[in-house]
Amino acid sequence: MLPSTSKYEYVANDPQKCTGCQLCEYVCSYTKNNAFNSLRSRIRTVRVDEILITSLSCRTCENAPCVIACPRDALTQDPETGIIRVDDSRCDGCAWCIEACDFGAISINPSTKLAEICDLCENEEDGPQCVKWCPKEALELTTPDKRGQKKRRKLAVQEVIGAGS
Amino acid sequence: MRSATIGKAGENQVLLANVTNDGRQAGRTGHGAVWGSKKLKALSVRGTHDHTVANPEELLKLCYDIVQAAQGPHTEKYRVLGTVSNVLNMNRMGLLPTRNYQQGTFEGAELVSGEYLHEHHKVKTIACAQCPIACEQMSRAIDGPYAGVMSGIEYESLYAVSSNCGVSDMNAAIKAIDICDEDGMDTMSTGVTIGWAMETFERGVFTKEDFKCAKYPEGFEPNFGSGEALVTLAEMIRDREGIGDLLAQGTKKASAQVDAERGSETYKWAMNIKGLECPGYDARALKTFALGLAVGARGACHNRSAAYDPDIKGQVDRFTVDETRGELAKDTEAYAAVYDTLPLCKFIRRCFTGKADRAGAWPAIAQLINATTGWDYDYDDVDLIGTHAHTIKKAFNIREGWTRADDHLPYRWQHEPMKEGPSAGSTVTDEELEYMKDLYYEAQGWTKEGLIPKEKLIALGMDDVAEEIGV
C-alpha cells in the first residue's frame, strides 16, 4: 500500500502566521530532553528565504515509509494515532528512516546517535507543547481533513458575507 | 549553522559598515569596517551541545507568562505597525528629522508613515530567534524602478533615508534600506550622511561635477527629495565610488575634509556626536534626550540612552531644562544597559508586570536570572548590571583620551533654532548643555571634568579598571 498522510493528526504550520521565532524547537527539546538544543527538537523551523518560513515535524503517514525502511524493525506505528515509536534498544542510528521520510521530519540525536521522531507529546496532558507555546497560533494539532473543512468554512464566510469579514 | 557576516561595504572598509546576522544588524559605529580591515568576512557557528538551566520548570513558567503577555496591549505598537509607527508620532510633535534636520515636520510624512507601509508595502511580519513579539515588517517596493525589492523596515532606518533626505517615495526608501542591509551598512548613518551631502550640494559647496559616477558620467544633482540620488549615493558609498569614497567616512570626517579642502563650513550641518550620526529625533526639542545623546559613550545612539522617554511621555517639559535632567539621563542609560547586557530586547520591557520602570521590571528580570543560573540576584544586583556596563564604557573612552569637550551636540542643534512646526524656536544653548552636563556628572558621582574618580571605581569593585585608566 502506498503511504498516505490523510488519516492521522499531526502538527500543522500555517506559514502565513509563522514568524520563524523557533520557540517550538526550544520547547520541544526541553520537553523531550530536559535541555535546550534546537538540533534535538523533533519539530524544525525552515527558513527558505526572508518570508517563506514554516516548520516540519512527523506527518504520521499511514503505511509510513520510515517504518518500512527500518532494517532492524526499530520503528513501529500506533494504529490508533499513527504515532511512530522508536525502540532505542533496536535502533542503531543507520538513518535509513531519515532517507525514507519525504518530509525530512526525522533526525538523529547528536548525543545518543539514535533516531528521534515527534510523538505528538502523547505523554503530556495538554498535548503537543509546541502548539501550546506557539505565540502566533501558527501551529495546530489537526488532520488534513480538518484543515480542508476549516478552509471551506473560511471561504464560504468570505463568499457569503464578503472578504475581510 | 549561524553566521555573522560583513558585506561589500565592510570589505571596502566603509566606516558606516556593520555586521549582519539572520537579517538583523549590529548596525552602528562601523565595526564592519574593522572586520574588513582584518579580512574577516564571517564568523560561523554550529552548536550541537545542550543548554541546561538551573531551574527549568520555574524558567519555563516565567517565560510562558511573558510569551502570553507579549501578545497583548504592551507590545501592540511593535506587533501591528512596528517601530515605523513613530513616523507620524514624531511628525506630530515636530521632531521628525527632515532635510538633514533643517525641519521637524515633513510634508510627505503620510507617504512614508508606518500606516502607509502597512497598507501598501507590507508582506509579512517576522521574528528574531526566540522572540514572541515579532516586530520586523518585511516590506516590498511595489512600483517604479525598484519594484520587487524587499527589506525589513524599521523607524530608525526609514526616517534616515526618507524624511531626512526629503524623500517621500516609499519605494526608493525600501531600495536604499535594502542596499544597506544586503551589503552591510548602517541605514541611519548612511541616510544622515546622504542628507549632509544633499544639503552641501544645495548650499553650493558641492556641484554636479562632484557627483560623477559610472551610472551618471556627467554627474547628477542630489537635491533633497530625489529617490534616485538617494539610491545612487548609497551604492556609491558602498563601493567607495567617486564622492562615495569621501562619504564612506561619515559626516564628521567627510565634513572636516571638505572644509579643509574648500574653506567651507559644512561641519555646521554635519549631524553627528562623537562621529556617530544622530538618530530619528530632533533633540533640540527633547532637552533630556539632548543631554543623554551628548554624554553617550558611543555618541548619538538612541539605543544606549532612553532619555527621550521622560521628554516624550511628558514626565518633564521637553522644551526647557531643570535640575532633574542629570539624574534622568543617568537612569535611562543604566536602564538600557541592563537590557543590552543580558541581553533582552527592550520591546519586552512592559511584559513582566505591565510597567516598564525598574520597580516593574527588575524583580522579574532577577527571577529570570535566578531560574537560569541558580544565583540569588535581587533588585539591587540587577540595577548594578547597568551601572557596571555603563561605567566600563565610560572608562574605555577615558582611556582613549576623551574629555568633557567630547560630550557635545551637533553645531546645528546648538546654534539654529527650529524654524517651524510644534517645536519651533527650540535650540540647546551652550549654557543649557553645560548646566545639564554638570548635573549628569554629579549624578554619576564623576568629576566636573567628566572623569571617574578612583574611589567610585573601587566602590563598584572595578579596581582593575581604575588601574587600566590610571586613576
Side-chain angles (χ1 to χ4, degrees):
Chain A
M1 276 214 291
L2 288 170
S4 159
T5 55
S6 66
K7 186 174 171 183
Y8 299 114
E9 285 189 316
Y10 72 107
V11 175
N13 184 320
D14 180 349
Q16 298 295 324
K17 294 181 182 169
C18 178
T19 62
C21 73
Q22 300 175 285
L23 274 175
C24 52
E25 294 183 354
Y26 281 78
V27 168
C28 177
S29 155
Y30 176 71
T31 305
K32 292 298 173 193
N33 312 300
N34 291 314
F36 300 99
N37 182 345
S38 58
L39 288 181
R40 293 182 67 183
S41 170
R42 300 174 187 201
I43 181 169
R44 295 293 183 88
T45 52
V46 185
R47 276 197 188 215
V48 180
D49 63 26
E50 290 162 300
I51 53 169
L52 209 176
I53 308 167
T54 187
S55 67
L56 280 163
S57 55
C58 180
R59 288 291 306 264
T60 54
C61 311
E62 233 181 315
N63 307 310
C66 56
V67 175
I68 296 165
C70 180
R72 295 171 60 88
D73 294 333
L75 271 56
T76 51
Q77 182 165 38
D78 187 314
E80 292 296 314
T81 61
I83 291 170
I84 314 284
R85 299 202 179 88
V86 183
D87 180 346
D88 286 355
S89 66
R90 300 187 74 89
C91 175
D92 68 352
C94 74
W96 282 26
C97 54
I98 296 180
E99 302 219 26
C101 177
D102 285 335
F103 302 100
I106 307 178
S107 46
I108 297 287
N109 179 330
S111 340
T112 61
K113 308 285 182 205
L114 302 178
E116 287 182 344
I117 305 174
C118 166
D119 63 0
L120 305 179
C121 288
E122 57 176 338
N123 298 323
E124 302 294 326
E125 270 172 32
D126 45 0
Q129 296 299 292
C130 54
V131 174
K132 177 186 162 189
W133 276 74
C134 178
K136 303 301 172 190
E137 295 174 0
L139 298 178
E140 64 172 332
L141 184 64
T142 185
T143 64
D145 201 35
K146 281 191 209 160
R147 288 189 102 187
Q149 205 173 34
K150 211 170 161 183
K151 278 178 197 157
R152 284 194 293 276
R153 286 177 66 93
K154 195 177 165 190
L155 197 69
V157 169
Q158 281 176 5
E159 292 273 314
V160 178
I161 306 173
S165 326
Chain B
M1 175 90 83
R2 291 292 161 91
S3 298
T5 59
I6 60 166
K8 283 182 204 165
E11 290 172 35
N12 293 333
Q13 296 181 38
V14 170
L15 299 188
L16 320 175
N18 62 22
V19 175
T20 293
N21 165 246
D22 266 5
R24 304 295 297 204
Q25 284 75 27
R28 311 224 67 196
T29 69
H31 38 271
V34 178
W35 282 34
S37 74
K38 297 179 190 299
K39 308 280 183 208
L40 174 60
K41 175 67 186 169
L43 276 176
S44 292
V45 177
R46 180 170 182 265
T48 56
H49 290 299
D50 292 344
H51 283 284
T52 50
V53 299
N55 188 348
E57 274 180 25
E58 169 77 3
L59 183 64
L60 281 185
K61 202 173 143 291
L62 294 167
C63 290
Y64 189 77
D65 291 344
I66 295 168
V67 169
Q68 296 306 309
Q71 312 312 313
H74 302 314
T75 62
E76 194 180 345
K77 170 183 168 185
Y78 305 116
R79 281 185 291 113
V80 181
L81 289 181
T83 55
V84 286
S85 59
N86 272 350
V87 172
L88 291 185
N89 291 338
M90 291 305 127
N91 197 52
R92 268 192 292 273
M93 298 180 83
L95 300 169
L96 181 68
T98 300
R99 295 184 178 84
N100 197 33
Y101 299 79
Q102 294 184 83
Q103 299 157 256
T105 60
F106 182 41
E107 70 283 359
E110 292 283 343
L111 295 172
V112 291
S113 65
E115 288 77 355
Y116 190 91
L117 187 82
H118 189 78
E119 196 175 333
H120 299 283
H121 298 272
K122 183 179 156 182
V123 183
K124 196 180 177 190
T125 309
I126 63 170
C128 297
Q130 284 91 55
C131 175
I133 302 174
C135 70
E136 187 166 23
Q137 312 293 312
M138 296 305 298
S139 307
R140 193 177 267 139
I142 47 178
D143 47 36
Y146 319 117
V149 167
M150 186 175 67
S151 200
I153 309 299
E154 302 290 346
Y155 170 69
E156 294 290 340
S157 302
L158 187 55
Y159 94 87
V161 301
S162 65
S163 62
N164 190 56
C165 293
V167 171
S168 56
D169 174 6
M170 189 71 93
N171 297 296
I174 292 172
K175 174 66 178 172
I177 291 169
D178 183 61
I179 292 167
C180 292
D181 285 357
E182 286 294 319
D183 299 322
M185 286 193 293
D186 178 28
T187 48
M188 297 168 68
S189 285
T190 303
V192 173
T193 302
I194 292 172
W196 172 83
M198 287 176 162
E199 183 167 350
T200 304
F201 170 76
E202 291 202 346
R203 288 178 183 272
V205 180
F206 287 152
T207 61
K208 188 179 170 187
E209 294 275 292
D210 287 310
F211 294 87
K212 285 180 182 169
C213 58
K215 201 160 148 194
Y216 298 102
E218 307 298 319
F220 61 95
E221 299 191 338
N223 288 302
F224 281 118
S226 168
E228 173 63 10
L230 164 74
V231 167
T232 307
L233 283 170
E235 289 168 340
M236 290 171 73
I237 294 173
R238 170 196 69 196
D239 298 333
R240 281 188 177 269
E241 182 193 3
I243 200 167
D245 193 43
L246 171 82
L247 302 179
Q249 304 176 87
T251 53
K252 184 178 180 180
K253 289 190 172 179
S255 63
Q257 185 180 326
V258 168
D259 294 346
E261 287 169 4
R262 307 189 186 195
S264 52
E265 293 185 320
T266 66
Y267 73 89
K268 289 185 173 175
W269 55 88
M271 300 304 297
N272 69 76
I273 296 170
K274 300 186 175 81
L276 184 66
E277 282 69 23
C278 293
Y281 312 78
D282 199 309
R284 276 173 288 195
L286 296 171
K287 294 283 167 78
T288 321
F289 191 42
L291 171 63
L293 291 178
V295 298
R298 70 173 191 174
C301 180
H302 68 293
N303 274 326
R304 298 293 178 267
S305 170
Y308 48 80
D309 230 32
D311 287 328
I312 288 176
K313 296 270 157 61
Q315 187 186 332
V316 294
D317 177 17
R318 66 186 174 97
F319 298 111
T320 56
V321 304
D322 60 47
E323 71 285 353
T324 64
R325 307 310 166 91
E327 197 70 44
L328 282 172
K330 169 191 169 253
D331 275 359
T332 64
E333 208 166 42
Y335 176 87
V338 170
Y339 284 87
D340 294 337
T341 305
L342 288 171
L344 271 174
C345 175
K346 297 180 195 89
F347 295 174
I348 205 89
R349 66 188 182 276
R350 287 189 183 83
C351 296
F352 305 116
T353 60
K355 290 207 165 128
D357 60 9
R358 286 166 157 82
W362 278 196
I365 288 177
Q367 282 185 303
L368 286 171
I369 293 173
N370 295 341
T372 305
T373 60
W375 299 343
D376 190 23
Y377 263 49
D378 60 16
Y379 179 102
D380 291 334
D381 297 318
V382 173
D383 209 41
L384 198 58
I385 298 173
T387 309
H388 271 151
H390 187 69
T391 304
I392 203 156
K393 285 189 281 184
K394 177 70 180 180
F396 179 93
N397 283 358
I398 292 171
R399 190 190 67 184
E400 299 307 308
W402 292 18
T403 64
R404 179 175 175 127
D406 291 292
D407 290 343
H408 68 93
L409 287 173
Y411 182 91
R412 169 159 283 159
W413 281 353
Q414 289 214 265
H415 297 90
E416 285 180 32
M418 294 184 78
K419 293 184 189 72
E420 43 72 64
S423 297
S426 296
T427 187
V428 183
T429 64
D430 261 339
E431 203 184 355
E432 286 175 325
L433 180 61
E434 298 307 318
Y435 168 63
M436 289 197 292
K437 277 160 67 177
D438 284 341
L439 293 169
Y440 170 82
Y441 298 144
E442 197 187 322
Q444 290 282 19
W446 298 345
T447 69
K448 244 187 147 42
E449 289 72 46
L451 303 174
I452 316 175
K454 189 175 181 179
E455 313 82 70
K456 180 82 189 168
L457 288 167
I458 288 169
L460 288 167
M462 301 170 83
D463 309 48
D464 52 339
V465 175
E467 197 175 324
E468 178 75 25
I469 64 172
V471 292

